[in-house]
Amino acid sequence: MTPALKNDLFLRACRGEKTERPPVWIMRQAGRYMPEYQEIRKKTSFLGLCKTPDLAAQATMLPVDMLGVDAAILFSDILIPVEAMGMELEFSEHKGPSFPRPVQSRMDVDRLLVPEPVAHTGFVAEAIREINRRLSGRLPLIGFAGAPFTLATYMVEGEISKDFSRVKQMMFSDPETLHTLLDRITETVIRYLEMQIEAGIHAYQIFDTWAGSLSPVHYRSFALPYVRRIVDSLQRHGIPSILYVNGSCALLEDMVTAGTNVVSVDWRMSLANVRERVPASVSIQGNLDPVSLLGTPAILREETRRILEDMKGRPGYVFNLGHGILPSTPVSMAKYLVSLVQKGLDAPVPSKAQAV
Ligand code: CP3
C-alpha cells in the first residue's frame, strides 16, 4: 500500500467521492508551451527524453512546481510500447511521430512482438519510481497508455492522419487482420500498464484519442471491447481508471460501458448534457476547449465559470481540457486556469495574462 497522499482530491474525485472543490490537471501539461520544457528538450531528442528517467522526471515535475496542478502525469508517449513491439519509430519537429514501415498486411502483424515490458520499456518504470521520489507523497501520479484502436491508427497510417483512411480501409476490407493487430496491442498494453502499476502509479488514463472517428457500430467492434479487456484485466489492482476519447459525443453511452471510473470528454458537448448521460457512479473529466487558453483572461474565466456551474453539486468531477494544451499557450494563462479552479473565480488575473 502506498502511504497516504497529502493531496488526494484527484483520486477521491475519480472514485466519485464528494470533494471540497474539483481537482484540476491539464492534458499534456508538461510540453512545448513551457520554456523550461524547451530547455530540457535541448539536451536530447523527444524519444531520448522519454527514455532518460531523470529527464522524464524533471519534465513531469515542471507543471507540478509551476502550475500547482492536483495530479502529476508521467512524461512519456503513447507510442513507446509500440516501438517495443518491433516498429521503428521516429519523431520529427514538424511531422510529429511516424513509422517508416507501417503495418500493411497480415504478415506485418504476425511479425509484431508482445514485448516483455521491463526488458523493453523498463525506463518507464524507473521514471515512475524517480517521479514518486520527487513527489514524496505530495500528489498522485497518473500513468497512461494509448488504447488499441488509437495505437493501431498510427501503426497502419504510419503518421498523423486526418481521415484515417488506411486503418479504416483495413477495417472494411480485412477486419480479421485488424482484429489480430488490436488483440496483440491489447496484450502489450495490459502488460505495459501492469508494469506501471507495479512501479507506483496511482491511477491510469487510456487515450483513445481517435476512436471518435468511428461510427458507433464500428466503435463497438474495433475499439470498445479491447479497452474493456484492458480495464477488466487491471481491475484487481484497484486503482482508478480514466478513458479519454476525442469526439465522443455519439459514443458516450458506449464509452461508459468500458468500465473505467472516469470518462474524459472534449468540448463539443456541454457538461450539463454529459452529466445527464453518464450514470452517477461514473466520474467525468474535461472539457474546456484548449484554444480558450489563447484568448483573454476574462473569457477564460467565463468559460471556466460555465463548466463549474454545469458540474455544481455533482460528485466525481475532474477539471481538465477537452484535449491537450496547445504549444502556443501562454504559461500565465495555464496558471490562471489552475488558480480559477482552486481559488475561485475571484483569483487574481496574472499581469502577463492581462496583456494578452
Ligand atoms: O500529458 C502529459 O503531459 C504527459 C505526456 C504525454 C505526451 N504525449 C508528451 C508529448 C502524453 C500523455 C501523450 C499522449 C499522446 N501522444 C497522445 C494521446 C493524447 C492526445 O494528445 O491526443 C497521442 C495521440 C500521442 C502521439 C503524439 N506524440 C503526437 C501526435 C505528437 C506530435 C504532436 C504534438 O503535440 O507535439 C507527439 C509528441 C509529444 N508527445 C510531445 C510531447 C510533450 C511533443 C514532443 C516535442 O518535444 O517535440
Side-chain angles (χ1 to χ4, degrees):
M1 234 359 239
T2 40
L5 292 164
K6 291 190 192 87
N7 174 351
D8 65 352
L9 272 184
F10 167 75
L11 295 178
R12 280 161 50 212
C14 287
R15 296 201 165 99
E17 293 168 24
K18 265 216 169 82
T19 50
E20 309 79 274
R21 59 161 175 88
V24 53
W25 70 281
I26 296 174
M27 279 194 267
R28 296 278 191 105
Q29 62 192 15
R32 284 171 300 181
Y33 75 105
M34 282 188 168
E36 293 79 0
Y37 171 80
Q38 307 276 16
E39 276 305 306
I40 302 175
R41 261 290 262 114
K42 273 189 200 151
K43 297 182 184 150
T44 179
S45 63
F46 173 64
L47 275 176
L49 175 42
C50 292
K51 292 176 184 180
T52 312
D54 177 54
L55 295 180
Q58 275 183 40
T60 297
M61 294 305 290
L62 289 175
V64 170
D65 295 333
M66 295 183 51
L67 308 180
V69 286
D70 293 305
I73 179 163
L74 165 71
F75 188 87
S76 189
D77 198 81
I78 58 168
L79 299 176
I80 292 287
V82 175
E83 186 184 43
M85 291 177 82
M87 289 191 68
E88 190 189 328
L89 169 63
E90 288 171 2
F91 271 92
S92 87
E93 221 50 64
H94 304 290
K95 275 181 56 210
S98 63
F99 293 106
R101 283 185 293 279
V103 170
Q104 290 172 332
S105 65
R106 177 61 194 241
M107 232 165 59
D108 293 339
V109 173
D110 288 340
R111 267 199 294 267
L112 295 170
L113 314 166
V114 174
E116 201 290 303
V118 177
H120 291 85
T121 51
F123 50 85
V124 171
E126 258 183 71
I128 289 168
R129 285 190 288 266
E130 180 55 31
I131 294 161
N132 274 331
R133 271 195 286 276
R134 294 182 194 204
L135 285 170
S136 58
R138 262 192 288 164
L139 289 181
L141 173 61
I142 306 169
F144 68 88
F149 179 76
T150 290
L151 294 180
T153 62
Y154 285 99
M155 294 165 84
V156 176
E157 301 289 330
E159 58 192 6
I160 293 176
S161 167
K162 282 205 172 74
D163 54 12
F164 307 102
S165 57
R166 291 190 185 95
V167 69
K168 283 181 158 182
Q169 187 180 351
M170 187 183 274
M171 184 171 90
F172 288 117
S173 59
D174 187 4
E176 204 182 308
T177 293
L178 184 55
H179 278 302
T180 308
L181 173 61
L182 291 165
D183 184 73
R184 203 158 283 197
I185 302 171
T186 303
E187 281 312 304
T188 300
V189 167
I190 290 170
R191 293 182 198 193
Y192 181 64
L193 282 173
E194 244 157 9
M195 176 189 74
Q196 293 188 27
I197 294 171
E198 277 157 25
I201 57 166
H202 300 94
Y204 67 89
Q205 175 154 326
I206 300 178
F207 286 93
D208 214 350
T209 308
W210 305 129
S213 66
L214 294 171
S215 74
V217 168
H218 295 102
Y219 178 73
R220 282 176 215 135
S221 176
F222 292 92
L224 179 61
Y226 296 100
V227 173
R228 200 180 277 146
R229 202 161 103 202
I230 296 168
V231 176
D232 285 349
S233 304
L234 301 176
Q235 205 72 46
R236 65 196 165 84
H237 296 283
I239 69 169
S241 50
I242 308 169
L243 174 59
Y244 169 73
V245 177
N246 188 9
S248 59
C249 191
L251 308 172
L252 189 57
E253 285 77 7
D254 286 310
M255 195 181 156
V256 164
T257 70
T260 52
N261 298 81
V262 188
V263 290
S264 187
V265 296
D266 67 36
W267 57 91
R268 295 173 184 88
M269 39 191 166
S270 75
L271 286 185
N273 176 243
V274 173
R275 184 176 169 162
E276 278 174 15
R277 295 167 60 189
V278 172
S281 56
V282 177
S283 298
I284 296 167
Q285 176 177 276
N287 75 339
L288 186 75
D289 187 332
V291 183
S292 67
L293 291 161
L294 308 183
T296 65
I299 296 179
L300 177 64
R301 180 177 181 275
E302 174 51 25
E303 294 292 307
T304 307
R305 188 200 62 75
R306 197 186 60 243
I307 289 176
L308 293 172
E309 185 66 32
D310 279 350
M311 296 310 281
K312 210 170 183 174
R314 203 244 190 226
Y317 172 57
V318 177
F319 198 103
N320 206 321
L321 309 186
H323 198 183
I325 192 167
L326 295 165
S328 51
T329 305
V331 175
S332 55
M333 287 293 273
K335 274 190 193 161
Y336 183 46
L337 174 64
V338 170
S339 69
L340 284 170
V341 180
Q342 294 181 337
K343 301 197 173 82
L345 298 171
D346 296 330
V349 181
S351 51
K352 245 186 161 173
Q354 252 161 346
V356 170

